[in-house]
């Protein structure tokens, strides 16, 4: 299977916008990296995540705000011969972003970010109640590096 590096930013953004979830990887001192799935929103080159105020991930990120995001899409099982295991592979597009988390604390800005996250999944506008907004953590990540690869034919679509 051919692997392509994708440098076209428009194409990269298209892949980001088509991804349903991301995996975040964060530093977990003395242990393996902590990797969990999260929903996200994306606008103007910036990722937005949301979480509760407590828990392992927020504790870890408060100690070390470096983060990796991994997203992928357009997965398809492909093969050259159905009887040959080695001829099977997965065509897909995959992105890794590296950056640092900044917590958004301003109330109106939090609402703006929540709308960006919701727009990733729905076409609807939402109202939010103040206690929920005050409680929620909004993570802003401006990627310092983005790597994008296409595995298989999907680069040609
Ligand atoms: C598709 C998807 C999307 C999600 N989107 C979001 C989101 O947008 N925001 C959000 O806050 N959470 C989201 N979650 C849940 C998220 O993956 C974490 O489980 C959750 O945020 C709790 O993380 P924590 O570090 O606070 O865990 P804690 O509650 O502190 O967990 C303690 C322990 O539970 C285990 N654990 C925690 N999470 C997971 C997990 N996902 N899988 C297996 N074991 C786990 C770990 O061993 C961890 O040490 C999503 C989950 C899925 C499957």
């Amino acid at each position: 299977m051919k692997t392509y590096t994708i440098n076209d930013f428009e194409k990269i953004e298209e892949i980001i916008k088509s991804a349903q979830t991301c995996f975040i990887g964060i530093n977990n001192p003395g242990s393996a990296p902590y990797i969990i799935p999260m929903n996200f929103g994306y606008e103007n080159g910036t990722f937005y995540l949301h979480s509760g105020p407590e828990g392992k991930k927020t504790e870890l990120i408060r100690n070390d705000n470096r983060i990796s995001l991994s997203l992928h899409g357009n997965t398809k099982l492909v093969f050259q011969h159905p009887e040959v295991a080695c001829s099977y592979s997965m065509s897909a597009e995959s992105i890794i972003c590296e950056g640092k988390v900044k917590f958004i604390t301003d109330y109106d800005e939090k609402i703006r970010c929540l709308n960006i996250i919701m727009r990733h999944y729905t076409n609807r506008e939402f109202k939010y109640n103040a206690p929920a907004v005050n409680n929620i953590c909004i993570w802003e990540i401006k990627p310092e590096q983005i790597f994008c690869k296409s595995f298989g034919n999907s680069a040609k679509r």
Side-chain angles (χ1 to χ4, degrees):
M1 170 181 284
K2 282 202 172 150
T3 303
Y4 307 82
T5 296
I6 299 178
N7 294 311
D8 176 354
F9 194 61
E10 261 183 43
K11 171 73 182 163
I12 292 172
E13 287 202 313
E14 194 186 305
I15 298 166
I16 291 171
K17 285 173 186 166
S18 72
Q20 284 294 294
T21 52
C22 64
F23 284 87
I24 64 157
I26 53 184
N27 193 14
N28 187 13
S31 192
Y34 191 57
I35 300 173
I36 52 169
M38 286 183 75
N39 300 116
F40 72 96
Y42 175 85
E43 192 173 274
N44 294 333
T46 305
F47 286 87
Y48 299 95
L49 279 56
H50 75 304
S51 74
E54 283 158 16
K56 185 168 175 174
K57 63 183 177 311
T58 38
E59 196 180 309
L60 291 174
I61 211 78
R62 285 197 171 101
N63 287 333
D64 182 346
N65 69 347
R66 291 174 300 165
I67 190 166
S68 286
L69 303 182
S70 168
L71 313 93
H72 67 274
N74 296 313
T75 52
K76 188 176 172 207
L77 184 66
V78 292
F79 55 83
Q80 292 193 327
H81 195 292
E83 304 297 328
V84 182
C86 293
S87 81
Y88 280 76
S89 57
M90 191 68 78
S91 75
E93 289 155 347
S94 173
I95 291 178
I96 303 171
C97 301
E98 296 175 1
K100 294 196 178 80
V101 174
K102 179 183 151 197
F103 287 112
I104 302 292
T105 52
D106 178 77
Y107 186 87
D108 291 338
E109 183 63 2
K110 276 179 154 186
I111 299 232
R112 189 185 73 83
C113 299
L114 285 169
N115 281 328
I116 292 170
I117 295 169
M118 292 311 296
R119 273 202 296 275
H120 193 79
Y121 299 97
T122 78
N123 290 321
R124 297 184 51 188
E125 290 295 313
F126 293 87
K127 292 194 187 330
Y128 304 90
N129 69 59
V133 174
N134 287 329
N135 194 44
I136 212 161
C137 279
I138 299 287
W139 308 28
E140 181 192 79
I141 300 138
K142 291 182 188 294
E144 292 158 10
Q145 300 214 72
I146 299 185
F147 308 96
C148 182
K149 286 205 170 213
S150 173
F151 298 83
N153 295 324
S154 45
K156 292 176 187 161
R157 82 188 155 84

